Amino acid sequence: MISQINWALVAPIIAIQVILMIIALVDLFKTEKTNGPKWMWVLIILFINILGPILYFVIGKKHA
Amino acid sequence: MKLMEVSSLTKSFGKHVAVNNLSFSIEEGHCVALLGPNGAGKTTTLEMLASLQKPTNGSVSFLGVEKGDYRESIGYLPQQPVFFPWMNAMEYLVFMGELSGLSKAKASMRADELLELLGIADARKRKIGGYSGGMKQRLGIAQALIHEPKLLMLDEPVSALDPVGRREMLELMKMLKETTTILFSTHILHDAEEVCDDVIMIHKGELAITGSLSELRRRHQEDVIIISADGNLDEWVRSIENWNVVSKVIANNDTIKIYVKNAEVARNQLLVEIAERQLPISRFTVGQTSLEDLFMKVVGK
Amino acid sequence: MKKWFVLFRKEWLEMSRNYKVIWIPLVFVLFGLLQPVTSYYMPEILKNASNLPKGAVIKIPIPSSGEVLAQTLGQFNQMGILVLVLAFMGIVSSEQRSGMMKAILVKPVGYSSYITAKWMSAVLLSGGAIFLGMLASWYYTILLIGDFPFMDIVKGISLYFIWILFLITFTVFLSSFLKSSGLVAAFTLLLSILLTLLTPLLKKWMEWSPAQLTNAAASLFTAGKIEGPFLIPLITTVILTALFLYLAGTRKSSLSRLG
Ligand SMILES: Nc1ncnc2c1ncn2[C@@H]1O[C@H](COP(=O)(O)OP(=O)(O)OP(=O)(O)O)[C@@H](O)[C@H]1O
Ligand SMILES: [Mg+2]
């Protein structure tokens, strides 16, 4: 069943998720303050599929 | 020549009047201190002069033009300078320079000069977010000076600095006042006396005293004789209050401050009295009131 | 004008330093790609995941290309708007709070340049993200499901973008009047939800509603032509957008603001 999935189609989706994750992590390590502890955001970014990095970008960062 | 003329400037926040009917003028080339205790209305006044707040009443004219946009001719350092933490000093200064109307090339040239002048050239490529308070203060001055303004307004430029930084800032201001008209606010009279020519003292939003420092000294400085004793002098104090040469006596525990009209006459008379009555004097000082006393009198403390 | 570009450049520099230039378009592309893929695999996923009794036959038709694209639009209209509003809620208010606004306005800069430079950069980034996301969705839809005319896609996105333009302008407007970014987001999302929900409910009364533009775009995808009101909402939306931009770009009496 899984073998029927066209990996060429799914690969870009995974790639985008990975890029988002990396950017979110880079940003997380660069910023001084986040809303809530940093380790929590690391977990959210890594383990909440699709939404993790987005959540970090929109509510994780402390706005000046 | 008058660079700026302020007439009956007033600002109220609801019922609270922060600045009340303030009038003064700034001579070109002078260094002027806006002096007042916390909450006197210094920041509010400066922000109105920088067109960051609209006065409730009154007007400001710059080089004779009333109601003009003279922002191009002023540089302003806020009380708590803020920056974009994600920019470096160079980027920030060029950005501010371009906003002030300079070309990009001119702005980067000025930025280089100023970073050098203010001693933060080494940190020019570092993110401002990582700057110390003193470095930010310098960068704040640099952005205010980027377009070579005619009038430099500094809101408490030294209050937040440590003794060394403060010394440096005062020296810098002395240097800048050679080329630029400066208006700066402070609540420390000593700083004003050190660098400026004129003072504008305000209290509770109202103008208390204004004039040149030398004039204020002449007008308001009094001779004072301070006597300390080991015993009780109350009775004697009451007797000298009526002397012609004495204008006021303030007795405080064992120390008596005698404000006199003529220091020499008073000194001789007092010394004779002391000797005759054999008063238990431990200290006898002849001097002058400082402007600090004047300031305190104005502030009512 | 030169100063306007200086301010505009600063906005882009800031958006690239905080990665908005990358992550916002990527998020839209991600949603755009996911929609056709899930639509395509949904029957299989359901078949495998379900614990249906043996022998039960489920027939879930794969939707048409147009339907998938309309679904993508629906996704943008929920997650997409949420992301954009949260990303831009502090566009003015955060600089007001930090004092950066005063630092800029003490320089000889017009307040309207300051606001419109921000507005323009937010509009361009949102527009770019939506176009990219929709193009990605279109590409995958063609690959997986079936052909769809490119021109209809462009028309549909353009219509939909006007609705987004309206919401972004409203965000900038509120951000320039309120100090709290949270309130900006709350009010903008409330407006968006109210318009989206009430428009189909009160058909008669809501012909003017900017949310009609979403329906118009969706019908263009599913039916190949615009159904329902189109010109009236287009005109009101453009007028409202201009009005909010004008209000955002003019200081009332003083620089000190509400809140
Ligand atoms: N936005 C405002 N709304 C209401 N009241 C204000 C506002 N800004 C200033 N005030 C009031 O106006 C008065 C003068 O404030 P201002 O900041 O000008 O004083 P200041 O002389 O600069 O004091 P400091 O030495 O503490 O900086 C204060 O009583 C302050 O509470
Ligand atoms: Mg102040």
Side-chain angles (χ1 to χ4, degrees):
Chain A
M1 170 54 220
I2 286 290
S3 59
Q4 286 177 334
I5 289 179
N6 184 344
W7 287 104
L9 281 177
V10 180
I13 294 176
I14 295 172
I16 290 175
Q17 289 195 55
V18 171
I19 297 173
L20 281 175
M21 249 181 223
I22 292 171
I23 302 172
L25 287 176
V26 168
D27 192 88
L28 179 65
F29 288 121
K30 279 212 274 186
T31 42
E32 274 167 33
K33 275 193 193 146
T34 49
N35 290 319
K38 277 199 176 189
W39 58 265
M40 179 188 84
W41 283 110
V42 174
L43 296 183
I44 291 176
I45 292 168
L46 287 179
F47 296 112
I48 300 188
N49 208 5
I50 304 175
L51 292 182
I54 303 176
L55 275 178
Y56 167 71
F57 280 121
V58 294
I59 55 173
K61 299 174 77 161
K62 259 218 163 69
H63 296 277
Chain B
M1 194 175 67
K2 285 199 174 77
L3 188 62
M4 186 181 253
E5 184 137 28
V6 178
S7 51
S8 38
L9 198 65
T10 302
K11 178 79 186 179
S12 23
F13 297 104
K15 274 194 182 144
H16 178 72
V17 184
V19 174
N20 194 2
N21 205 18
L22 205 57
S23 303
F24 59 86
S25 59
I26 296 169
E27 287 288 324
E28 185 150 22
H30 282 216
C31 175
V32 183
L34 182 64
L35 199 60
N38 287 132
K42 302 182 294 294
T43 301
T44 310
T45 304
L46 288 178
E47 289 202 347
M48 284 192 284
L49 298 186
S51 20
L52 285 174
Q53 290 193 30
K54 201 169 160 35
T56 314
N57 213 338
S59 65
V60 181
S61 69
F62 193 84
L63 282 172
V65 182
E66 208 173 294
K67 288 194 175 145
D69 184 357
Y70 51 85
R71 284 179 297 173
E72 205 148 316
S73 312
I74 59 170
Y76 181 68
L77 172 73
Q79 190 163 354
Q80 278 122 13
V82 287
F83 307 92
F84 293 117
W86 48 269
M87 276 192 184
N88 66 38
M90 196 64 197
E91 287 168 337
Y92 187 74
L93 289 181
V94 172
F95 171 65
M96 282 303 185
E98 286 189 280
L99 288 186
S100 308
L102 303 181
S103 69
K104 193 165 194 152
K106 181 84 208 291
S108 20
M109 211 180 71
R110 279 290 292 163
D112 272 327
E113 274 172 32
L114 285 167
L115 289 170
E116 203 64 53
L117 177 77
L118 292 162
I120 43 174
D122 290 343
R124 60 205 282 272
K125 291 279 183 230
R126 262 168 53 192
K127 293 267 181 299
I128 303 171
Y131 273 33
S132 72
M135 289 164 86
K136 282 186 181 157
Q137 195 81 1
R138 287 154 200 253
L139 186 59
I141 299 254
Q143 65 79 27
L145 286 171
I146 189 90
H147 54 305
E148 304 179 81
K150 287 203 172 67
L151 173 63
L152 181 62
M153 294 200 271
L154 312 169
D155 195 358
E156 311 224 11
V158 292
S159 308
L161 300 177
D162 66 6
V164 178
R166 187 188 168 107
R167 187 75 261 135
E168 286 174 353
M169 184 60 71
L170 290 173
E171 294 306 320
L172 178 70
M173 285 166 67
K174 280 183 194 166
M175 190 182 78
L176 291 173
K177 78 177 209 180
E178 299 301 322
T179 51
T180 316
T181 311
I182 300 180
L183 171 66
F184 77 102
S185 77
T186 176
H187 56 261
I188 302 160
L189 180 96
H190 188 76
D191 297 336
E193 278 188 285
E194 183 163 347
V195 288
C196 70
D197 314 300
D198 304 331
V199 289
I200 300 165
M201 279 195 205
I202 60 172
H203 181 50
K204 293 192 174 149
E206 297 189 20
L207 185 69
I209 296 174
T210 175
S212 73
L213 262 182
S214 49
E215 185 191 322
L216 286 185
R217 284 207 184 94
R218 209 172 54 237
R219 271 219 319 258
H220 294 279
Q221 245 168 8
E222 286 177 284
D223 292 319
V224 63
I225 295 175
I226 300 167
I227 299 173
S228 304
D230 291 332
N232 193 316
L233 299 180
D234 283 357
E235 208 175 312
W236 181 66
V237 165
R238 249 170 271 129
S239 76
I240 60 170
E241 266 175 352
N242 305 323
W243 290 10
N244 271 338
V245 74
V246 172
S247 55
K248 195 170 62 171
V249 181
I250 298 173
N252 195 351
N253 294 333
D254 299 340
T255 306
I256 312 160
K257 257 186 182 173
I258 308 168
Y259 293 84
V260 298
K261 288 162 193 150
N262 184 324
E264 218 164 308
V265 174
R267 182 187 59 198
N268 293 340
Q269 281 187 16
L270 283 169
L271 285 174
V272 169
E273 276 268 320
I274 289 165
E276 270 176 7
R277 297 194 179 210
Q278 301 197 325
L279 297 172
I281 300 300
S282 61
R283 190 163 73 103
F284 188 96
T285 320
V286 183
Q288 287 190 311
T289 55
S290 66
L291 281 181
E292 193 76 42
D293 296 327
L294 174 62
F295 181 49
M296 286 308 177
K297 206 159 82 188
V298 164
V299 174
K301 278 181 189 162
Chain C
M1 205 56 198
K2 188 188 153 251
K3 286 178 193 167
W4 188 89
F5 274 107
V6 173
L7 289 166
F8 183 68
R9 259 202 341 254
K10 174 249 146 191
E11 291 301 320
W12 281 97
L13 188 65
E14 181 165 19
M15 290 196 300
S16 52
R17 294 270 161 95
N18 61 25
Y19 304 112
K20 275 189 187 151
V21 188
I22 312 176
W23 75 259
I24 293 180
L26 278 186
V27 166
F28 277 86
V29 170
L30 184 63
F31 286 137
L33 294 182
L34 278 174
Q35 197 59 50
V37 169
T38 36
S39 295
Y40 182 71
Y41 287 115
M42 190 52 83
E44 297 229 31
I45 294 167
L46 279 185
K47 216 189 289 170
N48 282 287
S50 59
N51 32 9
L52 288 168
K54 266 208 163 82
V57 184
I58 34 168
K59 263 228 168 311
I60 303 157
I62 294 179
S64 73
S65 300
E67 277 161 1
V68 171
L69 289 168
Q71 281 165 7
T72 307
L73 213 58
Q75 186 73 357
F76 284 9
N77 218 21
Q78 291 169 19
M79 295 303 292
I81 287 177
L82 187 65
V83 162
L84 290 178
V85 169
L86 290 177
F88 292 119
M89 63 186 178
I91 190 165
V92 185
S93 59
S94 68
E95 286 190 4
Q96 144 83 12
R97 258 178 298 135
S98 72
M100 217 40 235
M101 182 193 254
K102 280 186 173 175
I104 289 174
L105 292 179
V106 82
K107 299 291 177 192
V109 177
Y111 182 71
S112 55
S113 307
Y114 173 74
I115 294 289
T116 50
K118 284 180 173 300
W119 172 79
M120 185 59 101
S121 51
V123 165
L124 287 184
L125 184 59
S126 318
I130 287 168
F131 269 80
L132 282 178
M134 215 56 211
L135 285 183
S137 195
W138 174 70
Y139 181 65
Y140 263 39
T141 305
I142 296 179
L143 285 186
L144 290 172
I145 294 157
D147 207 2
F148 191 85
F150 180 71
M151 273 327 284
D152 280 0
I153 269 290
V154 173
K155 277 188 220 156
I157 308 173
S158 307
L159 264 183
Y160 180 70
F161 173 65
I162 295 169
W163 157 243
I164 292 296
L165 176 72
F166 165 73
L167 286 180
I168 295 288
T169 311
F170 191 72
T171 310
V172 173
F173 160 73
L174 280 186
S175 193
S176 76
F177 276 87
L178 300 173
K179 267 190 179 166
S180 150
S181 303
L183 280 184
V184 173
F187 284 133
T188 312
L189 291 173
L190 189 70
L191 175 78
S192 143
I193 291 169
L194 278 182
L195 285 178
T196 309
L197 286 183
L198 291 184
T199 299
L201 277 179
L202 308 169
K203 268 205 177 85
K204 277 248 168 59
W205 305 94
M206 298 292 277
E207 277 200 1
W208 55 273
S209 163
Q212 294 281 12
L213 294 173
T214 323
N215 303 338
S219 69
L220 190 66
F221 291 157
T222 48
K225 62 179 194 303
I226 294 169
E227 286 169 348
F230 152 69
L231 211 57
I232 297 171
L234 184 68
I235 293 169
T236 46
T237 309
V238 170
I239 291 175
L240 284 176
T241 302
L243 178 72
F244 284 127
L245 182 62
Y246 171 78
L247 289 177
T250 38
R251 281 265 101 135
K252 281 190 292 182
S253 56
S254 101
L255 273 181
S256 41
R257 304 185 304 165
L258 312 173

